[in-house]
Amino acid sequence: MRKIILFIVLSLFSFTLNAQESEKLSFVEIVPVEGVSSDELYNRAEIWIATAFRNPDKVTKYRNAENHQIILMPRLNFQYSKTVGKAAASGTIEYTMKINTRDGRYRVEVTDCYHNASSGFGLLTVDTVLTKCRLKLTTLKWEQQVWNEVQAAINREVLLLFNTLKQNMVIIDAGQSEDW
């Protein structure tokens, strides 16, 4: 009986520890594009990928024209701005980007953002303030500085990607605006 009670108490304890984990960082945008079919939006997304990335075949992990879905796994180079700890914090930020199209709209989602470096944070979360050291042999102040720069870098990258994608997906037909 004691073992059962101990097991239940430990299970509840581990459940509360998992409940306190931070929410992982993600970005989602749904954009209406009136009068455009899902096939045409899918084609526009394919064209955008070819222009937005140096090696589109390398970052594209999944394409399905029938389901109108594209999954990309790009990598952003990250350089820490300070000289102290630059080698440890500099590396890459990897993330997953999904583009889904439907008639009259598309959805773009960025998830699973990872900071990879010799002193990398791993999975990025929505936390803005770190309350304890996550890495070995570092200080909380240094980690907070790196954390802020990593989050700023991924925010800039996602904003740029979302804006350029929107420019390619929402094409205004110049022929319709002319009065003949």
Side-chain angles (χ1 to χ4, degrees):
M1 185 68 177
R2 287 183 187 171
K3 290 181 181 180
I4 294 173
I5 293 172
L6 180 63
F7 176 74
I8 292 171
V9 169
L10 289 175
S11 297
L12 289 174
F13 179 70
S14 67
F15 177 73
T16 51
L17 284 178
N18 288 337
Q20 294 174 357
E21 288 181 8
S22 298
E23 181 182 342
K24 66 182 187 176
L25 186 64
S26 65
F27 306 87
V28 177
E29 186 173 24
I30 299 170
V31 180
V33 186
E34 295 297 323
V36 182
S37 71
S38 56
D39 290 332
E40 177 61 23
L41 288 172
Y42 181 87
N43 291 337
R44 290 178 185 181
E46 288 277 3
I47 293 168
W48 172 77
I49 292 166
T51 60
F53 299 100
R54 286 186 188 157
N55 192 345
D57 291 331
K58 189 174 181 180
V59 299
T60 305
K61 299 302 175 191
Y62 177 79
R63 289 180 179 162
N64 190 325
E66 291 176 10
N67 292 335
H68 304 103
Q69 183 178 47
I70 303 169
I71 299 176
L72 310 168
M73 295 184 79
R75 179 179 298 185
L76 169 67
N77 288 324
F78 172 74
Q79 291 293 319
Y80 182 51
S81 66
K82 308 281 194 258
T83 54
V84 176
K86 184 173 190 156
S90 297
T92 60
I93 302 171
E94 298 173 6
Y95 54 94
T96 301
M97 182 177 199
K98 296 178 186 174
I99 303 170
N100 295 297
T101 64
R102 291 190 180 171
D103 290 340
R105 66 187 183 275
Y106 72 91
R107 178 177 191 226
V108 59
E109 177 181 17
V110 172
T111 58
D112 302 325
C113 305
Y114 286 90
H115 175 232
N116 294 316
S118 61
S119 289
F121 289 106
L123 183 66
L124 300 180
T125 64
V126 296
D127 296 337
T128 54
V129 177
L130 301 178
T131 56
K132 63 180 180 176
C133 282
R134 299 170 127 203
L135 309 170
K136 295 178 182 177
L137 304 173
T138 63
T139 65
L140 186 58
K141 181 180 177 182
W142 180 82
E143 284 189 20
Q144 185 67 56
Q145 290 172 344
V146 175
W147 183 257
N148 291 343
E149 286 193 29
V150 166
Q151 285 201 322
I154 191 66
N155 285 331
R156 279 190 309 272
E157 176 80 357
V158 169
L159 182 63
L160 176 67
L161 291 173
F162 281 18
N163 285 338
T164 59
L165 178 61
K166 191 180 293 182
Q167 289 170 358
N168 279 19
M169 298 294 262
V170 183
I171 300 171
I172 299 170
D173 187 3
Q176 290 181 352
S177 65
E178 294 179 18
D179 188 17
W180 285 92

